[in-house]
């Protein structure tokens, strides 16, 4: 998988972040939105997107709760919800902010739960109890298996990945 050392993920695109140091570079704890707030902003007649994003000098929205929500769903329900509701909300954010805002999903256990198949760069979500052993085809559901596009976020040369970054989901 390609890697990004640049800070572009802090200003544009969609990321799934699990490194606390990386998260702290873009937001304070009180600026993190709940998944519920995010989904309400994305639906017609919902709360709508803010005029300015809450973090990183108005350039970033950090959302927590995706991990826990996926764990509450059976794998088949999780696939439908991820590929429909979550993807639609991401697309809504992209439509509103274009290249002027970053959407980051804070996933503290993401390094253990997102699995990248080295031969194809396909990304899977590893389900937890009571559905341990099952996987969701994360990449196919969110970015249609355009596996050449997601990149591992590195904070410095030689560091472990801090998350995954995708410039634009279609």
């Amino acid at each position: 998988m390609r890697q990004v050392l640049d800070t572009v993920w802090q200003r544009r695109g969609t990321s799934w972040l699990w490194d606390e140091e990386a998260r702290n570079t873009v937001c304070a704890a009180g600026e993190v939105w709940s998944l519920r707030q995010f989904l309400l902003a994305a639906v017609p007649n919902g709360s709508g997107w803010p005029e300015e994003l809450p973090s990183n000098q108005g350039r970033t929205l950090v959302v927590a709760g995706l991990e826990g929500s996926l764990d509450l769903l059976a794998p088949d329900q999780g696939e439908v919800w991820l590929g429909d509701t979550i993807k639609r909300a991401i697309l809504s954010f992209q439509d509103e902010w274009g290249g002027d805002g970053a959407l980051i999903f804070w996933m503290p256990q993401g390094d253990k739960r997102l699995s990248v198949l080295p031969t194809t760069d396909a990304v899977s979500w590893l389900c937890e109890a009571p559905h341990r052993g099952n996987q969701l085809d994360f990449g196919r559901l969110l970015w249609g298996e355009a596996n050449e596009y997601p990149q591992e976020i590195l904070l410095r040369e030689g560091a472990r990945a801090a998350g995954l970054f995708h410039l634009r989901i279609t």
Side-chain angles (χ1 to χ4, degrees):
M1 179 171 280
R2 291 183 11 209
Q3 298 174 329
V4 61
L5 271 165
D6 190 297
T7 59
V8 65
W9 63 272
Q10 298 176 10
R11 299 178 307 278
R12 300 177 62 200
T14 302
S15 298
W16 296 268
L17 202 61
W18 50 79
D19 183 89
E20 190 171 1
E21 177 187 351
R23 191 212 56 220
N24 290 340
T25 64
V26 293
C27 77
E31 298 168 345
V32 177
W33 276 26
S34 70
L35 186 61
R36 183 176 187 273
Q37 284 176 285
F38 171 68
L39 293 174
L40 280 173
V43 296
N45 301 319
S47 60
W49 297 110
E51 289 187 28
E52 183 174 300
L53 296 174
S55 300
N56 196 24
Q57 299 172 338
R59 296 182 289 196
T60 306
L61 174 61
V62 179
V63 177
L66 182 60
E67 236 175 10
S69 296
L70 284 171
D71 285 343
L72 293 173
L73 299 170
D76 58 334
Q77 295 170 321
E79 281 196 355
V80 170
W81 183 71
L82 194 61
D84 183 36
T85 304
I86 297 300
K87 183 172 181 175
R88 189 176 306 134
I90 292 170
L91 294 175
S92 173
F93 178 87
Q94 287 181 170
D95 287 347
E96 179 72 21
W97 290 95
D100 295 327
L103 172 61
I104 298 174
F105 290 96
W106 169 238
M107 303 176 81
Q109 297 296 313
D111 59 334
K112 296 169 186 66
R113 307 292 299 282
L114 286 169
S115 171
V116 179
L117 185 62
T119 55
T120 63
D121 288 340
V123 178
S124 297
W125 175 259
L126 305 175
C127 297
E128 206 31 86
H131 305 288
R132 189 175 286 131
N134 291 294
Q135 297 183 21
L136 303 182
D137 196 348
F138 201 82
R140 179 184 58 79
L141 295 166
L142 291 179
W143 54 81
E145 294 187 73
N147 294 333
E148 65 275 12
Y149 297 116
Q151 301 172 54
E152 290 180 318
I153 298 168
L154 299 182
L155 298 183
R156 56 196 140 279
E157 193 72 47
R160 290 180 35 159
L164 294 177
F165 166 71
H166 200 295
L167 184 58
R168 184 158 181 88
I169 291 176
T170 57

